[in-house]
């Protein structure tokens, strides 16, 4: 079955019905300090975020993407293709496991795309150990498979931690 992003994430969900969708829930959870909100307190309009991928600090939510630690397309290839649409959307909007979704520099997220750690690691080398530990955690939590080259890359990084 081919990957179709709309099966996973047609839009961010508002699981708790408080008008703040998953994107804004992650921005709130990962902010380092006070936040500014738009009308109705549904959207975050300003704050301070430290991006672990680059080590940079951002103050505008428009400079950040919400990254799926294990990208949706990788989750699909790793067994998620067999999931129901409901489970795919639960994964795409997972707020129960903080390592699943991260607020990161939009350029780094674009560079990562749907790559696994054998193809991409964050530019911030001091984050590599945490990155692969969180990658493994997400894969284990969601019972996703790991390729041989992916396992080799994870082992290499972890051996230096």
């Amino acid at each position: 079955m081919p990957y179709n992003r709309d099966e996973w994430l047609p839009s961010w969900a508002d699981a708790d019905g408080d008008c703040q969708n998953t994107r804004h829930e992650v921005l709130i959870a990962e902010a380092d300090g006070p936040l500014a909100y738009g009308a109705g307190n549904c959207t975050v309009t300003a704050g301070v975020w430290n991006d672990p991928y680059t080590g940079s600090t951002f103050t505008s939510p428009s400079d950040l993407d919400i990254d799926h630690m294990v990208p949706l397309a990788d989750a699909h290839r790793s067994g998620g293709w067999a999931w129901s649409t409901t489970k795919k959307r639960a994964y795409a909007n997972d707020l129960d496991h903080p390592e699943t979704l991260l607020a990161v520099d939009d350029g780094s997220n674009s560079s990562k795309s749907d790559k696994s750690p054998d193809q991409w690691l964050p530019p911030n080398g001091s984050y590599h150990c945490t990155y692969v530990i969180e990658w493994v955690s997400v894969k284990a939590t969601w019972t996703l498979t790991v390729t041989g080259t992916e396992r080799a890359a994870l082992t290499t990084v972890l051996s230096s931690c």
Side-chain angles (χ1 to χ4, degrees):
M1 172 179 280
Y3 169 69
N4 176 353
R5 184 177 174 86
D6 285 341
E7 289 179 5
W8 294 76
L9 189 66
S11 63
W12 292 112
D14 178 13
D16 60 7
D18 67 352
C19 86
Q20 296 165 343
N21 67 23
T22 301
R23 173 182 169 74
H24 293 280
E25 297 279 6
V26 172
L27 291 170
I28 292 165
E30 295 189 1
D32 291 323
L35 295 167
Y37 293 91
N41 291 329
C42 296
T43 59
V44 176
T45 58
V48 175
W49 296 270
N50 294 309
D51 167 28
Y53 287 3
T54 63
S56 299
T57 300
F58 294 89
T59 57
S60 175
S62 65
D63 293 330
L64 300 168
D65 282 350
I66 305 304
D67 180 44
H68 292 87
M69 171 61 69
V70 175
L72 301 178
D74 186 274
H76 177 86
R77 291 188 297 268
S78 302
W81 60 268
W83 294 348
S84 67
T85 300
T86 300
K87 187 169 181 179
K88 290 175 183 177
R89 292 182 181 171
Y91 174 82
N93 287 279
D94 183 9
L95 293 171
D96 292 330
H97 305 96
E99 64 277 4
T100 303
L101 298 170
L102 299 168
V104 300
D105 167 55
D106 53 8
S108 292
N109 189 42
S110 293
S111 171
K112 175 183 174 184
S113 184
D114 68 345
K115 298 176 180 99
S116 56
D118 54 307
Q119 302 163 322
W120 186 89
L121 288 169
N124 178 8
S126 67
Y127 188 68
H128 287 182
C129 289
T130 302
Y131 182 83
V132 299
I133 289 166
E134 290 180 352
W135 180 277
V136 170
S137 175
V138 172
K139 287 264 182 152
T141 297
W142 289 90
T143 320
L144 295 168
T145 61
V146 176
T147 67
T149 55
E150 182 182 346
R151 182 179 308 277
L154 294 168
T155 301
T156 299
V157 173
L158 289 171
S159 70
S160 68
C161 296

